[in-house]
């Protein structure tokens, strides 16, 4: 949906949770309702579907395709929909990419292959194969806390030569590596770790792929606008107001706390799937305290 080549996927995107029914099945109507809420009421110009926060590793291929199709039907006319297609198997990832293109996705999120710890030459081959599989723009997902292997600067420089590899979702938080990559490539950076949204934006990131965006999308848009306007004092003020939200959501796995918050707000989310476990009463109470300190009051939406 975006027409700005410097921001190929927009400014404010959230890594959307996948709503489940209480029996653990996919809640497609809930996915559509949540997607519309994020776009229409939370200032999102894009959504990333089927990422880590979407619990993609626990979804069968058919479930993934159904969720993606439902979200595209709900908001694809007014927001960029980026499909998470990466796995630790190149052939499976390319198949996912082709299917996402057929379903109408606007772009692809491709995570560093996890568990098998490929060398940089393997990353180059993997990402290139997925980018070659479709005509869609690709956002690389650099997240060594989950993949172990970082995408090194030299590898990013080579990948940037591919016409469809246009962006990086950075959850590595290596600001030096980011600065060098920005200096040597035209890749658009999106912050993928909420606590460092401000420093990454100040270095030149064009937007965020957020988890806390489920709850504070308009304030993330305000943060980005302040940085773009050169108003560092305002950006610091907004960022400091968000610190309790960042901390509260990431006291445990973000999808656990976000789904707990969505439930309290009357929005679709449902339970998590094993091996994750739902928030305990004690975790929910702490989350309430953290979010209240950050200006988010649970129980105020209730759209259902």
């Amino acid at each position: 949906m975006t027409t700005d080549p410097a921001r190929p996927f927009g400014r404010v995107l959230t890594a959307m949770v996948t709503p489940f029914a209480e029996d653990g099945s996919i809640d497609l109507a809930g996915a559509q309702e949540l997607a519309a809420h994020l776009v229409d009421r939370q200032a999102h110009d894009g959504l990333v579907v089927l990422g880590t926060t979407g619990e993609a590793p626990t979804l069968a291929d058919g479930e993934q395709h159904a969720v993606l199709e439902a979200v595209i039907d709900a908001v694809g006319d007014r927001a960029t929909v980026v499909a998470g297609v990466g796995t630790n198997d190149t052939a499976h990832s390319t198949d996912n990419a082709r299917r996402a293109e057929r379903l109408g996705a606007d772009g692809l999120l491709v995570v560093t292959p996890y568990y098998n710890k490929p060398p940089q030459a393997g990353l180059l081959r993997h990402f290139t194969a997925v980018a070659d599989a479709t005509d869609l723009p690709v956002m690389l997902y650099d997240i060594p806390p989950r993949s172990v292997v970082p995408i090194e600067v030299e590898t990013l420089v080579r990948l940037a030569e591919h016409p469809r590899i246009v962006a990086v979702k950075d959850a590595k938080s290596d600001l030096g590596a980011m600065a060098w990559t920005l200096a040597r490539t035209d890749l658009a950076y999106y912050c993928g770790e909420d606590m460092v949204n401000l420093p990454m934006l100040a270095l030149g990131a064009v937007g965020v792929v957020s988890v806390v965006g489920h709850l504070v999308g308009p304030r993330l848009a305000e943060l980005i606008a302040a940085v773009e306007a050169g108003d560092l004092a305002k950006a610091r003020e907004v960022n400091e107001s968000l610190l309790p939200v960042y901390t509260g959501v990431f006291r445990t796995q973000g999808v656990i706390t976000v789904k707990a918050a969505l439930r309290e707000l009357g929005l679709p989310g449902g339970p998590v799937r094993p091996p994750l476990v739902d928030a305990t009463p004690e975790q929910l109470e702490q989350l309430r305290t953290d979010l209240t300190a950050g200006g988010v009051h649970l129980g105020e939406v209730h759209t259902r």
Side-chain angles (χ1 to χ4, degrees), residues 135-209:
D135 291 325
L136 295 177
V138 170
M139 179 189 293
L140 306 175
Y141 186 8
D142 191 5
I143 182 166
R146 294 180 184 274
S147 67
V148 181
V149 179
I151 312 174
E152 295 178 359
V153 173
E154 293 300 326
T155 305
L156 287 165
V157 170
R158 293 185 63 185
L159 288 166
E161 297 172 0
H162 195 291
R164 287 184 293 282
I165 296 177
V166 298
V168 179
K169 177 187 175 185
D170 187 297
K172 182 166 57 183
S173 299
D174 183 338
L175 298 181
M178 175 186 170
W180 271 115
T181 304
L182 286 172
R184 298 178 60 190
T185 74
D186 293 325
L187 290 170
Y189 260 71
Y190 288 81
C191 182
E193 186 173 350
D194 280 305
M195 187 60 81
V196 291
N197 281 337
L198 176 55
M200 281 199 178
L201 289 165
L203 265 181
V206 301
V208 298
V209 178

Side-chain angles (χ1 to χ4, degrees), residues 68-227:
L68 178 59
E69 187 171 32
V71 171
I72 291 170
D73 286 346
V75 299
D77 61 335
R78 59 192 187 279
T80 301
V81 179
V82 181
V85 299
T87 70
N88 62 347
D89 170 29
T90 302
H92 190 189
S93 301
T94 56
D95 286 345
N96 285 346
R98 293 187 186 102
R99 196 167 289 110
E101 183 179 42
R102 289 197 297 270
L103 290 174
D106 297 301
L108 307 174
L109 178 74
V110 187
V111 69
T112 307
Y114 40 86
Y115 186 73
N116 27 22
K117 295 178 68 174
Q120 296 298 304
L123 298 188
L124 187 65
R125 181 177 296 183
H126 174 83
F127 290 128
T128 300
V130 180
D132 284 342
T134 80
D135 291 325
L136 295 177
V138 170
M139 179 189 293
L140 306 175
Y141 186 8
D142 191 5
I143 182 166
R146 294 180 184 274
S147 67
V148 181
V149 179
I151 312 174
E152 295 178 359
V153 173
E154 293 300 326
T155 305
L156 287 165
V157 170
R158 293 185 63 185
L159 288 166
E161 297 172 0
H162 195 291
R164 287 184 293 282
I165 296 177
V166 298
V168 179
K169 177 187 175 185
D170 187 297
K172 182 166 57 183
S173 299
D174 183 338
L175 298 181
M178 175 186 170
W180 271 115
T181 304
L182 286 172
R184 298 178 60 190
T185 74
D186 293 325
L187 290 170
Y189 260 71
Y190 288 81
C191 182
E193 186 173 350
D194 280 305
M195 187 60 81
V196 291
N197 281 337
L198 176 55
M200 281 199 178
L201 289 165
L203 265 181
V206 301
V208 298
V209 178
S210 176
V211 176
V212 303
H214 286 90
L215 308 173
V216 291
R219 288 161 69 188
L220 293 177
E222 186 181 13
L223 174 65
I224 295 168
V227 173

Side-chain angles (χ1 to χ4, degrees), residues 17-18 20 24 51-59 146 211 249 252-260 269-280 283:
V17 302
T18 300
F20 298 132
T52 307
T53 308
E55 298 178 79
T58 70
L59 272 64
R146 294 180 184 274
V211 176
V249 167
T252 183
Q253 236 277 29
V255 63
I256 294 173
T257 48
V258 165
K259 282 195 167 183
V272 296
R273 278 186 175 177
L276 298 183
V277 292
D278 291 319
T280 65
Q283 287 174 321

